[in-house]
Amino acid sequence: MSKQVKITVIGSNMIDLTTFLRRFPQKGETIFGKEFQQGFGGKGSNQAIMASLLGAEVTMVTAVGKDSYGQEWLDHYQEEGIATDFVKVAEDSHSGVAAIWVEPDGDNRIVISSGANDELSVDHIQETFEQLPPQDIILSQLENPQESILEGFKRGKKMGATTILNPAPAEPLLDEILEYTDWLLPNETELAFLAKEMYGLTVEDPIELVKEFATLANINMVVTIGPAGALLYMPNENRPVVRVETVSVKVKDTTGAGDAFCGSFAYGLASGWEPEAAIKLANVLASDSVQKIGTQRAYARDEHLQYLIKQTF
């Protein structure tokens, strides 16, 4: 393993309420589920957990409700070794909840009720960074207000941290946010949305699209492309788009796989690895997670995690 690195995640928390179905219902239809699970999720928290499992010193900047779920989150972060000094407890809001449907092939549909996640204010970010020691990585997603993410990235850049944005769920970005983002990590669908929204690009070939988008935005990019792996492009490097392949596995549940990828990539980058090496590990850990049911509970741990790392390199 590499040196211990410091990663701050400005991100969400969600209690995942997951129902496993034989098929998705039609409009107005009621069907029976096969199985139900409740677990810890939210893109930011998932990514924080993955980075922590790999050995990073992770600080979580988020907001929970003053309810039973909020207390469960505080306990859970501490059990996972994640610092909770900057977790805000929102007095008048519920903790975030995600209703998740999963089909037998692992495909999913997710509906988010953000709750306290929307209470992660710019003021709270400012107060956090006034106390936060220097970090290697500031990592965020789009399940919290973009104004707060932008403030965190600005302050992260001032302290010398590398900033990584996973633009999910896909939505129009604030004009300034990419200016303060070192790495953008979308999937194919999110890239297509942003490319059309920001630059009017409708290129179908993902390799050409990532090249055009990254060049226009002047930003380093990693685009996950499902079972085909991931694409890497750095517009200021004299090299073509690189595809980093992944392993073929039997899929049970894709929920949280993208977060496993982002948390792993952030860890690798913070550790000083070449981007291809960070992507290689991220591919392996994301592929491992889809072979199990759930989000954080599906992430590799302990001896199995060490085995996967050794097999990867």
Side-chain angles (χ1 to χ4, degrees):
M1 298 295 289
S2 304
K3 65 169 185 174
Q4 187 172 47
V5 295
K6 296 180 184 296
I7 297 176
T8 287
V9 179
I10 302 171
S12 61
N13 61 86
M14 299 285 172
I15 293 295
D16 288 343
L17 306 175
T18 305
T19 302
F20 297 88
L21 309 171
R22 292 178 177 82
R23 61 175 177 82
F24 295 133
Q26 301 297 317
K27 182 178 180 180
E29 182 184 18
T30 299
I31 63 174
F32 286 100
K34 295 193 300 180
E35 186 181 348
F36 172 80
Q37 286 185 357
Q38 177 176 312
F40 296 100
K43 293 183 181 298
S45 295
N46 292 342
Q47 294 173 23
I49 294 293
M50 190 72 258
S52 180
L53 289 171
L54 284 163
E57 182 180 318
V58 179
T59 298
M60 192 70 202
V61 183
T62 190
V64 299
K66 193 175 183 180
D67 52 24
S68 60
Y69 286 157
Q71 186 57 55
E72 287 179 27
W73 267 115
L74 292 171
D75 295 340
H76 180 62
Y77 287 138
Q78 291 167 7
E79 289 170 1
E80 295 287 359
I82 293 176
T84 59
D85 305 64
F86 307 111
V87 176
K88 176 182 177 180
V89 178
E91 297 285 336
D92 300 318
S93 187
H94 64 84
S95 296
V97 176
I100 304 171
W101 294 348
V102 183
E103 283 192 318
D105 65 357
D107 192 15
N108 62 59
R109 301 287 188 274
I110 304 174
V111 178
I112 293 170
S113 299
S114 296
N117 289 288
D118 288 337
E119 303 299 317
L120 191 62
S121 65
V122 171
D123 287 345
H124 182 67
I125 298 298
Q126 292 172 342
E127 292 169 4
T128 293
F129 276 83
E130 286 171 2
Q131 304 172 62
L132 191 67
Q135 301 289 296
D136 297 298
I137 296 283
I138 306 297
L139 171 63
S140 194
Q141 315 75 35
L142 295 179
E143 289 181 343
N144 299 102
Q146 286 194 40
E147 293 82 1
S148 299
I149 296 167
L150 175 58
E151 182 66 20
F153 276 18
K154 285 180 177 180
R155 289 178 175 260
K157 295 288 287 181
K158 284 183 180 179
M159 68 166 54
T162 297
T163 55
I164 303 175
L165 179 65
N166 170 220
E171 63 179 33
L173 296 175
L174 292 179
D175 291 340
E176 282 187 280
I177 205 161
L178 289 186
E179 180 183 344
Y180 292 93
T181 301
D182 294 310
W183 287 88
L184 190 69
L185 270 63
N187 62 23
E188 285 182 277
T189 302
E190 292 150 2
L191 172 60
F193 173 85
L194 291 174
K196 185 175 182 180
E197 177 73 24
M198 296 178 65
Y199 302 115
L201 300 175
T202 56
V203 180
E204 292 188 4
D205 181 358
I207 291 178
E208 290 302 316
L209 185 58
V210 67
K211 187 174 182 179
E212 289 192 34
F213 183 95
T215 301
L216 288 169
N218 191 30
I219 194 169
N220 296 322
M221 292 188 66
V222 176
V223 182
T224 55
I225 51 176
L231 302 175
L232 165 67
Y233 187 64
M234 295 178 283
N236 295 318
E237 300 287 332
N238 186 24
R239 57 186 302 191
V241 177
V242 175
R243 183 167 74 89
V244 182
E245 296 183 355
T246 190
V247 294
S248 177
V249 298
K250 184 176 180 180
V251 176
K252 287 187 177 180
D253 182 8
T254 60
T255 311
D259 299 328
F261 183 98
C262 292
S264 303
F265 178 79
Y267 173 80
L269 213 62
S271 300
W273 300 359
E274 290 296 320
E276 289 95 330
I279 294 171
K280 189 175 181 181
L281 177 64
N283 276 339
V284 167
L285 295 184
S287 293
D288 179 73
S289 76
V290 304
Q291 299 175 69
K292 291 161 280 186
I293 290 173
T295 47
Q296 295 175 22
R297 71 180 66 194
Y299 294 168
R301 294 171 177 265
D302 304 322
E303 292 181 0
H304 181 56
L305 176 59
Q306 297 306 315
Y307 170 80
L308 290 175
I309 293 170
K310 290 178 181 177
Q311 291 297 307
T312 303
F313 300 108

